[in-house]
Amino acid sequence: MNWKKLHIILIVSAISLTFNGCYSTMLTQENQTAAATDRETVVAMPQIAKAKLFQHAMPEVYKLDNGMDVLYVHNPMIPLMNMKVVFNSGGSADPKDKSGLSSFTATMLKEGANGKSAQELSDAVERIGATLGPGMTQDTGSIYIESLTQYFGAAVDILSDVWLKPDFTQESFERLQKIVVMRLQQRADSPTAVAKLASDTAYFGMENPYGRSVDGYVDTVSRMTVEDIKARYADLFHPSRAAIVGVGDMEPSKFVALMNDKFGKLDREKDAPKVVDLGFEKVEAKRRLVVVDKPNAPQTVIRIYEPAVSSTSLETLTWQFVNIPFGGSFTSRLMQNIREDKGYSYGASSGVVSMLHDGVFVSTSSVESGVTGAALGEFMAELSRLPKGDFDEDEFARARETWKAELVQSFETQAGVLATIAGLYVNDKPMTAINDFARELETYDLAKFNAIAREFPTIDEATIVLVGDRSTILSQIAGMDLPEPEFYDTQGHRVVN
């Protein structure tokens, strides 16, 4: 052992410990002095700037060489393209005895086009990582494509084939018809789907196009032929009905040039369909009760329709806003009452469902069958309270913040931007409608909020639909202030008691 070396190490360690101790004491003294100074000095907290008013990007509007409308939002943030061709006709134009024809026709587009089979089309879409899908509502049709920008030209080629060159072979028609009929048969097993069917028919009536299922019924789809499909296609997907909406990082000039190359030469005048009166009539809303029997069902679906504004009205925005604290959020009155306070269900909600020619305010929940009457009573109480306009400041404040948050969220993705812009277009609303309402919302106070609530319908205008075990439902609602029940089957058709 080198004792001399050990002695030196001990001396250095002692000096180090002494220095550190003195330094720590100095720090402690300095900290105490600083703390004393801090106690005497009020430090100003930084002010948080007020959040800027959200205004979504506006689309540029173009015309192709043949006059077709094109709306495009340039988003260079990600190398992705979203595009939708929208058509101003939908399931409402289906003949009553062939309900579901438009929906069937749209689905057939992917069953083969330009000599490619359904599998070959699917493979072509998958190779470029794209998403392709036709869509159908009561009022409009659409064909949607999404792909990376580098493959967008190939994606548009596929969409063009599907839209303009469908094969409609007898073999593919028969195969799809069997699948659709099977799905419609299975629909009867879903109480929620049955409730919608019965509600639509009971509220609008079968003579009103909105009273019939956009997907059709087992009997109507079963009687369709491939010739029916071809005839409906020629009308529904005619170029004169079409407009193009796009969102993505392709330069606008390149996007419009591509659309012109693919669709700008289509003849929009030849064999253009005529405008037809579809027979919409104003619904005479009154209190009604409809029961659909699902023997031994453990739950009852409650679905209530009341009159609302059509989708062309700017009031849809104010109605959606007022609905947030009523049934449009987790902290809403319906949710707090039915779920949190009473424990009747996992959830309860309401919403505005608007179409071009009409609209309904829908309130719904699935409750345990043994509390059907009690839960319905709470729904009726809340719906009776709504048009009294008695929301408080807290409900109003939460509604405003929720609306702002949901507005931003709806524009977080290109698909969301596309859906919003396309929705404004097909509903003939100004592209500035949402931005205008966002600015107007800054001027709202509780009094104005409650004034809008007072425009909502009364419970006397409600069509109440209950889907569940008939005997349980009738025993539960006995003695309530309700009209005599009407009975419907699981296909949504009225039956004789």
Side-chain angles (χ1 to χ4, degrees):
M1 179 67 177
N2 189 332
W3 295 103
K4 184 176 181 181
K5 184 176 181 180
L6 176 61
H7 182 66
I8 293 173
I9 293 173
L10 292 172
I11 292 174
V12 171
S13 298
I15 293 173
S16 177
L17 288 170
T18 301
F19 175 79
N20 287 337
C22 294
Y23 184 64
S24 297
T25 301
M26 292 170 60
L27 285 178
T28 300
Q29 292 172 345
E30 290 177 358
N31 289 341
Q32 290 174 346
T33 302
T37 303
D38 288 344
R39 284 194 296 269
E40 297 172 0
T41 304
V42 178
V43 180
M45 297 297 291
Q47 294 296 313
I48 300 176
K50 183 180 179 181
K52 293 183 178 179
L53 178 66
F54 178 78
Q55 298 278 271
H56 69 78
M58 298 294 294
E60 296 293 332
V61 181
Y62 307 91
K63 292 278 188 183
L64 298 187
D65 291 343
N66 58 3
M68 188 180 297
D69 286 341
V70 174
L71 292 82
Y72 185 65
V73 177
H74 184 215
N75 175 30
M77 302 299 292
I78 54 176
L80 188 68
M81 292 295 297
N82 293 73
M83 172 188 160
K84 180 181 287 189
V85 185
V86 294
F87 304 89
N88 66 355
S89 182
S92 297
D94 295 343
K96 180 181 176 181
D97 64 340
K98 292 181 181 175
S99 296
L101 180 58
S102 295
S103 179
F104 197 148
T105 303
T107 305
M108 274 291 292
L109 295 179
K110 292 179 66 176
E111 293 301 305
N114 199 18
K116 300 183 182 70
S117 67
Q119 186 60 56
E120 289 171 330
L121 282 175
S122 178
D123 290 343
V125 171
E126 186 175 344
R127 268 195 301 273
I128 60 175
T131 301
L132 172 72
M136 187 60 53
T137 70
Q138 290 282 18
D139 297 312
T140 62
S142 64
I143 308 174
Y144 169 80
I145 193 79
E146 176 187 88
S147 77
L148 293 172
T149 306
Q150 67 186 100
Y151 301 121
F152 187 58
V156 174
D157 285 340
I158 296 172
L159 184 148
S160 178
D161 284 345
V162 166
W163 173 19
L164 302 173
K165 301 175 182 178
D167 292 334
F168 295 143
T169 65
Q170 182 68 31
E171 180 183 2
S172 62
F173 167 77
E174 291 177 358
R175 184 182 67 83
L176 184 61
Q177 187 177 41
K178 292 177 182 178
I179 294 173
V180 173
V181 168
M182 181 181 66
R183 289 174 180 169
L184 293 175
Q185 290 170 336
Q186 294 173 340
R187 183 175 63 182
D189 296 329
S190 169
T192 302
V194 170
K196 184 182 185 309
L197 284 173
S199 299
D200 289 346
T201 304
Y203 183 82
F204 291 105
M206 284 296 287
E207 298 306 314
N208 187 318
Y210 290 150
R212 305 191 288 266
S213 169
V214 70
D215 296 319
Y217 306 91
V218 172
D219 60 336
T220 62
V221 173
S222 297
R223 68 168 61 100
M224 293 177 191
T225 68
V226 72
E227 296 307 318
D228 293 327
I229 298 297
K230 292 177 181 179
R232 184 67 187 116
Y233 163 80
D235 183 307
L236 172 57
F237 293 102
H238 193 277
S240 64
R241 294 192 180 279
I244 295 169
V245 184
V247 180
D249 76 323
M250 182 178 283
E251 287 295 326
S253 59
K254 292 183 178 180
F255 178 80
V256 176
L258 178 60
M259 296 301 104
N260 236 334
D261 180 57
K262 295 296 180 183
F263 311 117
K265 298 178 179 62
L266 295 175
D267 191 339
R268 302 178 73 238
E269 301 297 328
K270 183 180 179 181
D271 299 324
K274 298 178 181 179
V275 177
V276 178
D277 183 1
L278 299 179
F280 290 101
E281 295 183 3
K282 181 65 177 176
V283 173
E284 184 181 347
K286 59 182 179 180
R287 190 183 297 197
R288 299 173 63 190
L289 174 64
V290 171
V291 175
V292 182
D293 188 20
K294 293 285 289 183
N296 303 314
Q299 291 186 319
T300 299
V301 177
I302 299 174
R303 191 174 179 90
I304 303 173
Y305 276 16
E306 296 175 296
V309 292
S310 69
S311 59
T312 58
S313 171
L314 292 178
E315 291 182 36
T316 54
L317 296 170
T318 56
W319 276 56
Q320 290 164 358
F321 177 39
V322 171
N323 178 60
I324 290 173
F326 178 75
S329 63
F330 190 80
T331 58
S332 68
R333 288 180 175 181
L334 282 182
M335 183 69 81
Q336 293 301 304
N337 185 337
I338 305 298
R339 173 192 163 109
E340 298 299 313
D341 295 343
K342 305 299 189 305
Y344 293 155
S345 172
Y346 285 114
S349 62
S350 62
V352 183
V353 180
S354 296
M355 295 79 75
L356 284 175
H357 303 282
D358 215 326
V360 287
F361 184 62
V362 184
S363 303
T364 187
S365 182
S366 294
V367 304
E368 195 274 319
S369 60
V371 296
T372 298
L376 178 59
E378 295 301 327
F379 265 99
M380 294 177 67
E382 292 292 356
L383 287 168
S384 297
R385 181 185 176 189
L386 174 58
K388 294 179 180 178
D390 63 350
F391 290 102
D392 60 32
E393 285 286 358
D394 182 59
E395 289 175 306
F396 168 62
R398 280 189 281 111
R400 184 164 53 188
E401 295 309 309
T402 299
W403 193 90
K404 291 179 180 179
E406 290 178 348
L407 173 63
V408 174
Q409 290 171 4
S410 68
F411 285 89
E412 285 181 342
T413 65
Q414 287 191 172
V417 176
L418 184 75
T420 302
I421 299 302
L424 290 171
Y425 179 84
V426 299
N427 289 306
D428 198 27
K429 287 180 177 176
M431 288 295 129
T432 61
I434 295 176
N435 282 345
D436 292 344
F437 182 69
R439 286 192 296 270
E440 182 185 349
L441 187 59
E442 297 296 299
T443 68
Y444 273 43
D445 57 16
L446 180 61
K448 186 168 185 177
F449 188 79
N450 278 326
I452 298 171
R454 295 186 187 103
E455 297 174 2
F456 275 63
T458 68
I459 193 66
D460 290 333
E461 301 171 274
T463 294
I464 301 167
V465 174
L466 305 175
V467 179
D469 183 81
R470 172 173 168 166
S471 60
T472 301
I473 290 173
L474 296 181
S475 65
Q476 287 278 315
I477 64 175
M480 296 180 67
D481 182 20
L482 294 169
E484 284 296 314
E486 305 165 24
F487 298 96
Y488 281 60
D489 62 22
T490 56
Q491 289 293 322
H493 299 312
R494 187 170 183 177
V495 296
V496 178
N497 186 6

